[in-house]
Amino acid sequence: MAAMLEVTALEKVYTKGVLNRTPTFRLTADFGIERPAVVGMMGPNGSGKTTLFELITGSNAPTSGEVKVLGRNIHRVRTDQRDRLAIHYHQSYQVRHFRSWMPNAMMQPAGSDYPMVHLFDEPQFNTQDGYIGFMLDFFRRLRAEGRLVFLCVHPNEKFHLEILQEICEQFIFVQKGVVTSIPDFDALMAFEPARSYLGGLLADRAA
Amino acid sequence: MALFEARGIQKRFGARVVLENISLAIEAGTVHGIMGPNGAGKTTCFHVLTGHHPPDAGSILFDGNDITGLKPHVIARMGVSRSFQMMNLFDDAVVIENVMLALPAFRAVSGSPLRETFGDRHLVDLALTVLDQVGLAGRAWEKAKDLSYGDRRALEIAVALAAEPRILFLDEPTAGLGAQATQNLIRLIQKLRQHYTICVIEHDMRFLFELADTISVVHWGQVIVEGTPAGLKANKWVARSALGEVA
């Protein structure tokens, strides 16, 4: 059976302009996730997290390389069906814009009615209500139903780390366009770039 | 078989997907709650369930009949009644007029001036019976605009009840109400549940925990969790937030 997600030699380069090809930002990624999982993603602002999400959902075209969801190259799936494979939740609502030069009739169908990959981009974890627990239960249910869940959190409070530790089996750390796979929470806590990014929160944890 | 059922409802507005996948079942004689954070799609869910927006996919069943895509007034006549989040009363009319206008028996004699209708003792009695259910029979002849905010909410419910529903949908009934008015509303809904199946859409978790038999938690346009108040309250994070422990 095909892997849930294969990101192969993926590269996205932004340049200063159409004529001036000086790169301003470069994101590279190469990783795979075989089975359903809840994957935590973090990294400093501007490191390329949202770009990576857009490349996975097929709403942003790569400069080179490919993204396969259950064996299907997302950028060759009909634009009106790409969200049946991978869906990007922007905080609380969902916006889907897909552009392609190729007409839909010439592209592959998604082969799924409900998305296989769910990417949650900084969901609002509000301390005042109890919805955090319901969101975590939802991530667990998606995983149990054979889906892949990405949870992008920008931890700025201690309970954000608690959430990640509770729910995520593995992690992706993104910094300056470089994507690193990390097998579990302990490895994340031992990973120097992550430690320096989390800074003060870790000091609080040790206290 | 559930009295009211939604299966795989999806609703888009252009590129914006508001409801991704809503499925729920409401058993006859129960109070069902739909709750979720702001922007979760609760009100759109309410509009789609009661026929004011047709869904882009999925189906809605009432008493075993597929009502997907039927006009709102057709659905209302079948016995699905709703209140509105925005106050929707005739302010200059007296309380009883607001109710009479919604009576099917009144609609049957529509065309006749209201003055003559007031002469119809049967219609007046029907309207008074409805007002009595929400505790407003004694204020039938006061202007709607003279009622307190909480009483106006009760009058809105009376207007919805006048249509003789089998299921009553209430959209954020506690919106704008103070603590005392909210308690009165809880008592009113507890009284009404003896006669009607009720679906309440509400942001206030405590309100639904007190009232509902079953709850669907909606977020990202989907039912993310469902259960009984006791089951949902047992969630570790809910318990912590109620105690103010999450920080």
Side-chain angles (χ1 to χ4, degrees):
Chain A
M1 181 169 164
M4 292 295 301
L5 179 69
E6 287 171 277
V7 175
T8 311
L10 187 71
E11 188 175 46
K12 177 75 189 184
V13 181
Y14 289 103
T15 56
K16 282 194 170 171
V18 179
L19 297 176
N20 183 348
R21 309 301 290 171
T22 312
T24 53
F25 181 77
R26 181 191 303 271
L27 176 84
T28 56
D30 197 306
F31 65 95
I33 294 167
E34 291 289 319
R35 283 179 289 279
V38 180
V39 181
M41 186 193 279
M42 62 169 77
N45 287 329
S47 58
K49 300 186 299 281
T50 297
T51 302
L52 181 58
F53 272 7
E54 289 171 355
L55 290 166
I56 292 173
T57 57
S59 65
N60 193 340
T63 309
S64 61
E66 63 178 23
V67 174
K68 281 187 177 171
V69 177
L70 281 181
R72 281 179 158 83
N73 182 332
I74 191 87
H75 295 95
R76 299 230 178 100
V77 170
R78 296 170 58 103
T79 52
D80 60 351
Q81 292 184 14
R82 281 182 196 173
D83 67 7
R84 298 302 86 193
L85 277 181
I87 176 175
H88 186 174
Y89 301 87
H90 295 252
Q91 298 198 339
S92 63
Y93 62 94
Q94 308 160 36
V95 176
R96 299 167 196 177
H97 283 292
F98 298 97
R99 284 191 212 93
S100 171
W101 296 111
M102 199 186 283
N104 275 329
M106 292 175 67
M107 291 194 280
Q108 275 197 311
S112 167
D113 287 334
Y114 185 67
M116 297 309 297
V117 180
H118 295 249
L119 303 115
F120 294 89
D121 205 345
E122 302 199 13
Q124 288 166 339
F125 292 123
N126 190 331
T127 57
Q128 300 306 309
D129 57 37
Y131 287 109
I132 293 170
F134 302 145
M135 294 186 206
L136 299 189
D137 282 349
F138 182 51
F139 301 153
R140 286 188 190 97
R141 193 182 87 204
L142 288 172
R143 184 198 181 288
E145 290 173 354
R147 321 279 162 181
L148 176 59
V149 176
F150 278 88
L151 174 58
C152 177
V153 177
H154 188 61
N156 46 28
E157 299 202 53
K158 263 192 289 181
F159 78 90
H160 289 146
L161 281 182
E162 237 183 289
I163 289 173
L164 290 170
Q165 185 172 17
E166 177 180 331
I167 196 77
C168 300
E169 300 143 86
Q170 60 187 90
F171 294 86
I172 299 274
F173 190 76
V174 187
Q175 191 166 40
K176 292 182 183 160
V178 178
V179 176
T180 309
S181 278
I182 295 171
D184 57 35
F185 189 78
D186 288 343
L188 178 74
M189 290 298 110
F191 183 59
E192 198 42 52
R195 294 189 67 80
S196 113
Y197 162 65
L198 294 169
L201 285 181
L202 294 181
D204 285 355
R205 267 172 67 86
Chain B
M1 188 184 67
L3 179 64
F4 192 95
E5 202 176 336
R7 294 181 185 163
I9 297 294
Q10 190 180 79
K11 181 69 191 172
R12 296 169 182 245
F13 294 102
R16 186 169 172 156
V17 180
V18 182
L19 302 181
E20 166 68 45
N21 178 20
I22 298 282
S23 294
L24 50 87
I26 305 173
E27 300 293 331
T30 62
V31 176
H32 185 82
I34 295 179
M35 73 183 188
N38 288 326
K42 293 189 300 294
T43 294
T44 305
C45 183
F46 180 79
H47 288 316
V48 172
L49 293 180
T50 54
H52 286 247
H53 294 320
D56 293 313
S59 55
I60 302 167
L61 299 156
F62 176 57
D63 205 9
N65 299 308
D66 190 340
I67 60 168
T68 321
L70 295 182
K71 297 272 184 227
H73 68 272
V74 177
I75 293 175
R77 274 182 206 162
M78 292 172 81
V80 180
S81 200
R82 54 174 277 176
S83 73
F84 291 81
Q85 199 177 51
M86 301 298 291
M87 287 282 190
N88 209 24
L89 298 170
F90 295 109
D91 277 343
D92 284 318
V94 291
V95 167
I96 195 168
E97 280 177 281
N98 276 280
V99 173
M100 288 179 81
L101 288 168
L103 289 171
F106 175 78
R107 289 204 301 265
V109 294
S110 66
S112 65
L114 207 53
R115 222 180 300 113
E116 277 179 35
T117 314
F118 280 140
D120 185 335
R121 194 65 224 174
H122 173 63
L123 284 181
V124 172
D125 284 347
L126 269 180
L128 283 172
T129 310
V130 174
L131 283 171
D132 190 42
Q133 288 185 285
V134 302
L136 286 176
R139 308 188 64 179
W141 303 97
E142 292 177 32
K143 287 228 164 131
K145 66 180 174 196
D146 294 334
L147 296 183
S148 70
Y149 210 74
D151 284 342
R152 286 170 65 87
R153 190 58 45 80
L155 178 54
E156 284 176 355
I157 293 174
V159 169
L161 293 179
E164 297 171 10
R166 294 177 60 202
I167 184 165
L168 176 65
F169 281 84
L170 303 175
D171 188 17
E172 305 230 5
T174 69
L177 295 188
Q180 186 55 49
T182 300
Q183 280 307 313
N184 292 343
L185 186 67
I186 288 175
R187 273 197 295 277
L188 171 59
I189 296 175
Q190 272 163 348
K191 199 173 115 191
L192 294 176
R193 65 175 301 160
Q194 296 161 17
H195 307 285
Y196 304 95
T197 303
I198 300 173
C199 178
V200 186
I201 298 196
E202 186 57 62
H203 171 72
D204 184 344
M205 244 185 224
R206 278 167 300 179
F207 181 76
L208 283 185
F209 282 164
E210 217 167 311
L211 266 180
D213 298 299
T214 49
I215 295 174
S216 300
V217 181
V218 172
H219 196 12
W220 298 300
Q222 307 174 55
V223 176
I224 61 170
V225 172
E226 52 195 350
T228 61
L232 297 180
K233 268 195 271 191
N235 185 298
K236 177 180 95 183
W237 289 92
V238 176
R240 278 178 67 178
S241 73
L243 297 170
E245 274 185 19
V246 182

